[in-house]
Amino acid sequence: MLNLKFIQDNPELVIEKLKRKNFDASEIVGNISDLYRQKNKLQGVADQAKAEMNSISKEIGLLFREGKKDKANAAKERTSELKENIKQFDVDFAEIEKNVNELLVQLPNLPHDSVPFGKGEKDNEILKTVGEIPKLLENALPHWELAQKYNLIDFELGVKLTGAGFPVYRGKGAQLQRALINFFLAEASKAGYEEVQPPLLVNEASGFGTGQLPDKEGQMYHVTEDNLYLIPTAEVPVTNIYRDVILDAKNLPYKNTAYSACFRREAGSYGKDVRGLNRLHQFDKVEIVQIAHPKKSYEILDEMVKHVTGLVEKLELPYRILRLCGGDISFTAALTFDFEVYSAAQKKWLEVSSVSNFEAFQANRLKLRFREEGVKKPILAHTLNGSALALPRIVAALLENNQTAEGIKIPKVLIPYTGFEIINQ
RNA sequence: GGAGAGAUGGCAGAGUGGUCGAAUGCGGCGGUCUUGAAAACCGUUGUACCGUGAGGUACCGGGGGUUCGAAUCCCUCUCUCUCCGCCA
């Protein structure tokens, strides 16, 4: 959520910047401005009335103690009108505040100046493409057929147990999953991220804090009985660790990594793009999160991009890095880099990571601040996160790209984690 | 699922109708002392909003009520803890 005062002081700037996200903010900003003025005006008179009320009450207290009952009772009579007014002020004030908040949560984060203009996927800027596209054998198989051939993943069994999009990994398929998770966590730890194991269900406040609620509840599975949500990413619980806290500037940045299962309803998606591992309702992911000083957050974003780059390179996967355009970037992000790996049998680029700087947008919702030496008022921190990495599409690319006549070769870095070098019969 | 207890500042913990934004202790910060440190002593130490400022207002889990006045009384919701039951 954008800062109210900032909008009030820079309405034109907000409207201008949001054009890059193809968002016309003029009406909302105008309404916010009007409401804000009403709110301040009302607070002025309301506070004055309350101040008067407080002083009369104090006076009455004193009079009673002195035994001057008549005077006290006379004073009481003056309060009834004041009381009515205050009541009305409070009702009006709450109403205005509610309206302001409803408008505020509708405004997306301001995009960074480097975000390209654009409507959708095809307008994303390809920053670099690295690695050789492997030349596969004539009879190369897509990963869902490889998975079946080597008994790695059972999609039908998942349908039986749960439904489409909930595959069962088994044998070396399951071991490969575990190996990847361990590899990613080890790399994150090496890079200084503290590992956490968060809950997989979160409450409403957490969903609001990172921006999934109120608008995107359709994306999450909702346990209505207890009003809890299955996390769509570990970003939600991990970032919410820092909800309602004031950190010490000298401890910044805070770095956390977490492995978690992720759950996405992804309502309405179907067709050939969802074959195999390309799009699932439940998948595994290792996430990295940083809480940063505003002056350092873009430096840190680069650092996180480098970390993810290291992962795909170690896995020897051809990849490319995209700078998301205004039409494709999320509601909450200011700048996002996507990583895609090439899945050679499908002949497709698959998104495996999204690394974003949210600046103070989430922090404002989270009330996540830090205290700087010599500055009285706490300052909103910047939050960043990235997938490092999401498993299914990595698995898809690994299976497809590394298939040979002898079987599927495991990349060197993973062998210590899998305990095997090849997947064959 | 059953029974009971509780929710107060970074933490611990007082406070049962007015002078309480809130005692006290710990922690934090600043200082005195010291070659340095510890100890001791002194001072300081919440957040948000409004106001150029002086200052004002709100906040003792959330919401509502009683009252001139509520951390304190009443209602309600949520959460936490303890015991019992069940259970990885």
Side-chain angles (χ1 to χ4, degrees):
Chain A
M1 165 165 82
L2 297 175
N3 183 276
L4 178 56
K5 246 183 203 155
F6 179 83
I7 297 169
Q8 179 64 19
D9 294 342
N10 308 279
E12 292 309 319
L13 183 73
V14 169
I15 292 165
E16 192 52 41
K17 290 218 174 203
L18 284 181
K19 283 182 184 161
R20 206 182 282 254
K21 279 198 174 178
N22 308 314
F23 189 94
D24 180 5
S26 47
E27 197 181 322
I28 294 179
V29 168
N31 290 342
I32 287 177
S33 219
D34 291 345
L35 287 169
Y36 184 79
R37 266 191 291 273
Q38 285 178 41
K39 182 169 92 87
N40 288 357
K41 205 170 153 196
L42 184 59
Q43 187 174 345
V45 288
D47 282 0
Q48 207 184 331
K50 286 177 186 176
E52 198 180 332
M53 190 72 173
N54 287 344
S55 86
I56 293 174
S57 294
K58 221 169 239 179
E59 195 187 310
I60 290 172
L62 282 170
L63 289 171
F64 270 121
R65 216 158 319 122
E66 289 165 13
K68 297 173 182 164
K69 265 201 170 153
D70 297 347
K71 277 194 171 173
N73 285 323
K76 271 191 200 180
E77 277 164 35
R78 283 193 286 146
T79 62
S80 64
E81 195 192 350
L82 261 179
K83 218 174 159 182
E84 282 306 304
N85 289 342
I86 288 170
K87 208 171 216 174
Q88 192 56 48
F89 289 148
D90 283 346
V91 169
D92 294 347
F93 192 84
E95 176 71 17
I96 291 173
E97 208 156 48
K98 188 177 134 244
N99 291 339
V100 169
N101 284 332
E102 264 166 25
L103 292 172
L104 268 181
V105 296
Q106 287 176 40
L107 288 177
N109 198 4
L110 304 184
H112 188 261
D113 285 340
S114 71
V115 170
F117 283 90
K119 292 219 175 347
E121 266 179 55
K122 52 209 173 304
D123 301 312
N124 293 335
E125 180 190 346
I126 300 171
L127 292 179
K128 62 172 178 177
T129 306
V130 181
E132 296 261 320
I133 306 257
K135 290 191 186 67
L136 300 183
L137 299 167
E138 195 68 19
N139 56 350
L141 301 172
H143 68 269
W144 51 88
E145 288 184 26
L146 291 166
Q148 189 173 27
K149 179 176 175 188
Y150 295 107
N151 192 30
L152 303 173
I153 306 167
D154 194 331
F155 292 97
E156 279 75 37
L157 185 55
V159 171
K160 171 186 169 183
L161 299 181
T162 308
F166 293 90
V168 177
Y169 302 87
R170 58 196 321 168
K172 284 189 171 163
Q175 289 171 19
L176 178 59
Q177 291 281 116
R178 184 155 51 85
L180 282 166
I181 293 164
N182 283 335
F183 167 63
F184 293 146
L185 286 173
E187 291 292 312
S189 290
K190 251 188 259 173
Y193 292 87
E194 183 206 9
E195 184 176 339
V196 291
Q197 284 198 20
L200 303 182
L201 287 100
V202 293
N203 57 27
E204 234 174 310
S206 294
F208 177 81
T210 32
Q212 279 72 25
L213 297 174
D215 275 344
K216 276 154 287 245
E217 60 252 87
Q219 185 202 48
M220 293 191 287
Y221 288 97
H222 187 198
V223 182
T224 50
E225 184 86 26
D226 300 291
N227 198 23
L228 295 173
Y229 295 85
L230 273 81
I231 59 171
T233 157
E235 161 197 350
V236 179
V238 175
T239 311
N240 272 280
I241 291 172
Y242 302 97
R243 168 154 50 86
D244 284 323
V245 297
I246 300 176
L247 304 165
D248 193 330
K250 63 174 182 277
N251 294 328
L252 295 171
Y254 285 74
K255 302 170 74 170
N256 289 105
T257 185
Y259 152 71
S260 86
C262 302
F263 304 90
R264 298 196 182 171
R265 295 185 66 225
E266 310 275 11
S269 58
Y270 56 90
K272 63 180 178 3
D273 280 354
V274 308
R275 265 310 285 271
L277 294 172
N278 290 345
R279 177 169 265 156
L280 300 171
H281 286 307
Q282 178 183 328
F283 64 96
D284 294 303
K285 181 158 64 64
V286 171
E287 185 80 0
I288 50 177
V289 171
Q290 292 210 39
I291 312 299
H293 192 289
K295 284 187 184 135
K296 293 279 176 62
S297 67
Y298 279 96
E299 211 173 286
I300 282 170
L301 182 63
D302 284 344
E303 174 203 313
M304 292 170 79
V305 165
K306 284 204 183 76
H307 179 78
V308 176
T309 305
L311 297 178
V312 285
E313 286 189 348
K314 283 175 188 171
L315 292 172
E316 303 167 58
L317 292 167
Y319 69 94
R320 61 183 194 182
I321 304 178
L322 277 56
R323 190 200 302 271
L324 294 194
C325 74
D328 211 22
I329 196 171
S330 78
F331 185 83
T332 43
L335 180 59
T336 297
F337 296 103
D338 267 12
F339 280 71
E340 296 182 339
V341 298
Y342 195 72
S343 199
Q346 299 186 75
K347 298 190 170 62
K348 268 207 281 214
W349 290 98
L350 302 177
E351 183 195 331
V352 293
S353 177
S354 205
V355 185
S356 307
N357 187 354
F358 302 93
E359 295 191 4
F361 192 81
Q362 290 182 330
N364 195 31
R365 294 173 157 234
L366 293 159
K367 301 206 190 330
L368 161 49
R369 293 160 294 173
F370 68 92
R371 207 183 291 281
E372 186 132 69
E373 204 166 335
V375 184
K376 189 153 196 308
K377 215 172 142 65
I379 303 163
L380 289 172
H382 282 191
T383 60
L384 303 98
N385 68 50
S387 347
L389 291 164
L391 291 239
R393 293 171 187 164
I394 289 286
V395 170
L398 283 178
L399 296 183
E400 293 185 10
N401 295 10
N402 298 347
Q403 57 183 308
T404 68
E406 294 76 46
I408 297 162
K409 295 200 165 136
I410 301 297
K412 279 190 287 300
V413 285
L414 276 186
I415 295 170
Y417 295 93
T418 54
F420 52 83
E421 297 175 25
I422 194 162
I423 297 170
N424 44 30
Q425 299 304 8

